[in-house]
Amino acid sequence: VMTTASDTSGGVWTRQSDTAWTRVASAPAAPTWKLFSKSADYFLVTTGGLYAASDYEGDWAARSDAGLFDEAVRLIVAAPAQQKMFAARGGLWESVDNGSTWRTFDAGANTGTLTGLAANGAFVLVATDDGTQVRSINYGNTFSSQPTGLDAGVSFYLWQSPRFWAGNAEGLW
């Protein structure tokens, strides 16, 4: 499965290993920034809204058209064990109703542009381009400063059991 985005169009595409890419007709033809799953649901982030389906090629229904989605949202996390979903665009946003409504959220990391966002289990990590990093150990209810020793900041986080990884201009940590 692949997502595409230009200034005015995009979509979800699929293929078998030896076939051509075909557009998923039920997915919106909008600039598409991320495709992810949370429990039994699949989510599609587009410019204009968040969509949900029970299958990648299923019927995609609008979940939210919050102002958060007026522009590209490339950082969004939804750990299966967490009630909350977090997204980054001009600050940190949270949803407590599986993506239907969103509100801005101050995790203590709103000092720069958010560059890293990850969640798994009870843990949530947030990083900004000014080197600020915070973490939550209680499902995003409270956050505390997280010293890292990564002089080049964090470009992205990745969860791969049993640990989080961080990447930046100096490599993978």
Side-chain angles (χ1 to χ4, degrees):
V1 175
M2 170 182 73
T3 64
T4 61
S6 73
D7 289 342
T8 58
S9 66
V12 178
W13 301 76
T14 185
R15 71 179 269 185
Q16 299 295 325
S17 60
D18 59 348
T19 64
W21 288 100
T22 57
R23 182 183 207 100
V24 176
S26 63
T32 304
W33 304 105
K34 182 136 182 174
L35 182 63
F36 65 97
S37 64
K38 176 175 172 45
S39 300
D41 293 323
Y42 294 93
F43 292 91
L44 182 63
V45 180
T46 73
T47 300
L50 178 69
Y51 294 81
S54 60
D55 182 87
Y56 282 133
E57 296 184 71
D59 293 326
W60 290 92
R63 177 65 56 96
S64 175
D65 63 356
L68 162 68
F69 301 107
D70 288 346
E71 297 176 21
V73 174
R74 292 181 173 93
L75 296 176
I76 189 165
V77 294
Q82 293 184 5
Q83 176 188 10
K84 295 183 179 186
M85 297 170 78
F86 292 96
R89 190 184 71 80
L92 186 63
W93 295 69
E94 77 167 350
S95 173
V96 296
D97 56 8
N98 218 20
S100 294
T101 60
W102 293 84
R103 70 177 183 98
T104 57
F105 183 79
D106 184 2
N110 291 342
T111 60
T113 301
L114 276 76
T115 57
L117 184 59
N120 191 67
F123 295 93
V124 181
L125 301 175
V126 181
T128 66
D129 63 354
D130 69 358
T132 301
Q133 293 185 57
V134 295
R135 77 173 182 158
S136 173
I137 59 172
N138 59 7
Y139 301 98
N141 293 310
T142 60
F143 285 82
S144 59
S145 179
Q146 176 67 39
T148 66
L150 298 177
D151 295 334
V154 173
S155 300
F156 68 88
Y157 286 119
L158 172 70
W159 164 255
Q160 179 64 43
S161 184
R163 65 181 68 164
F164 286 98
W165 299 81
N168 64 20
E170 296 176 346
L172 183 63
W173 304 87

